[in-house]
Amino acid sequence: MNAVGTGAPLAERARAAIPGGVNSGQRSVPGITDLVVARAEGARFFDTEGRAYTDYHAAFGPQLLGHNDPDVSAAVAAVIREVDLCGVGVTPGEIELAERLIELVPSFEQVLLTSTGSEATFHALRLSRAVTGRRLVVKFQGCYHGWHDAVSLNVISAEDALNRPDPISAGILPEVLESTVVLPFNDAEAVRRLFADHGDQIAGVIVEPVPHNIGCVLPTDEFLITLREQTTQHGAILIFDEVITGFRHALGGWQEISGITPDLTTLGKAFANGFPLGAIGGRADLMQQFSSRPGGSAFFAGTYNGAPVVVAAALATLTKLTEQPVHEHTFRLGELARAGLREVFAELDLPAVVTGYGSIFVSYFMPGPAPRTYSDLLANRADLFVGYRRKLIERGIFELPLNLKRSHISYAHTESDIEQLIDGTRDAVRAALSETTELGAGASTMGGLVRES
Ligand code: PMP
């Protein structure tokens, strides 16, 4: 099937010159072979044939303001007339951004910039080992923390927890896997048992406070409280990976919403609206280990860290997020979308769970209640999840047709976009249901691993 784009000659050139034809793992989606994107603006992107797609994929999440936000673009255009990367000292923009982040994010006493979320999470995990002198890091089933990851969905009972998880890639050292423990999300008891048995070996715990890499699974209060209590009690570092939840759900991230303050936090995606920026911040005594001055024990570097264009994009994004009703608008449209989609599935008499938070929504095709763990999601019908999204794309509405991927609403989306989404979903689900026998093959692309580009 090739519902999208007719960029075939260009796409063929891409496949010849670029492994897989794309520059990041999951940009290559089964069923979409020839999509070449030419332009993006507001709530839409356009292919080389000029066909418009109302975009709920949002490049896996950065564009909370919408594509090519005019204020962000103007800030970037202004800074490139003044300064580019000099790689020595610091720019006023970097200082201002650090100070604003410290004001906004509860756990931040100090902060460092990276270019990607993966760098931020890698540094956080390394720092947890550096300061504790311990080996084990704890992750949770369904969470993704970057390309250096080793997460498997397959482990998991507390007894199994120290078994080596499956690698996400060939080439990862067995020692890394042996030093990684994967527990079920939302299982406070498994966390308590692991710490009781191995607490003195655990360097850090990293968690997506809302595992959005499998759509949307909301944390229980007990789970997050237990993480905080156990890490504190056993001298381990608690890391919230807020690369998706940061800024999108609240200016201070999920830690502001939950009231649980981690030791370290990683950020990315929404805070520069699509420009490549990540951050790691947290307790000053920990962050000081990254200092290049005496006293720092952990190495931190990056040629492009704090590049003026990216910093300008972030400052303009934060200004807009702070001064305009971005959250109010996107949360209202999120509620409209979720309510409308629930009605559609009830009309169609189709077992479905429509969930999400704020500007994020996802429809799982399974009976309720809302999932609490990755295992709950095994009941989701991957054929229908992927199948209706392929049909939606034919109607000019883009939700990524990969199993368990969430969808995003931006400040540029309108109520009328959401009405079209709801009507389009009704038609697309009907069309997919009539073809479900054809949909089985290739519909589930998770391959047992949580991956995201
Ligand atoms: N953490 C989370 C929660 C993510 O979703 C991602 C990317 N999807 C990353 C880390 C890695 O970020 P990046 O792709 O910018 O390296």
Side-chain angles (χ1 to χ4, degrees), residues 78-88 91 94 303 306-310:
V79 84
I80 57 178
R81 286 193 292 269
E82 297 290 325
V83 62
D84 69 351
L85 190 65
C86 295
V88 66
T91 55
E94 288 169 82
T303 301
V309 276
V310 177

Side-chain angles (χ1 to χ4, degrees), residues 289-317:
Q289 297 303 312
F290 285 128
S291 171
S292 49
R293 293 168 191 269
S297 63
F299 185 67
F300 183 89
T303 301
Y304 300 111
N305 291 355
V309 276
V310 177
V311 168
L315 287 169
T317 302

Side-chain angles (χ1 to χ4, degrees), residues 123-136:
H123 282 300
L125 291 172
R126 181 195 265 178
L127 183 59
S128 73
R129 288 185 169 125
V131 296
T132 60
R134 300 173 183 172
R135 192 172 64 89
L136 295 179

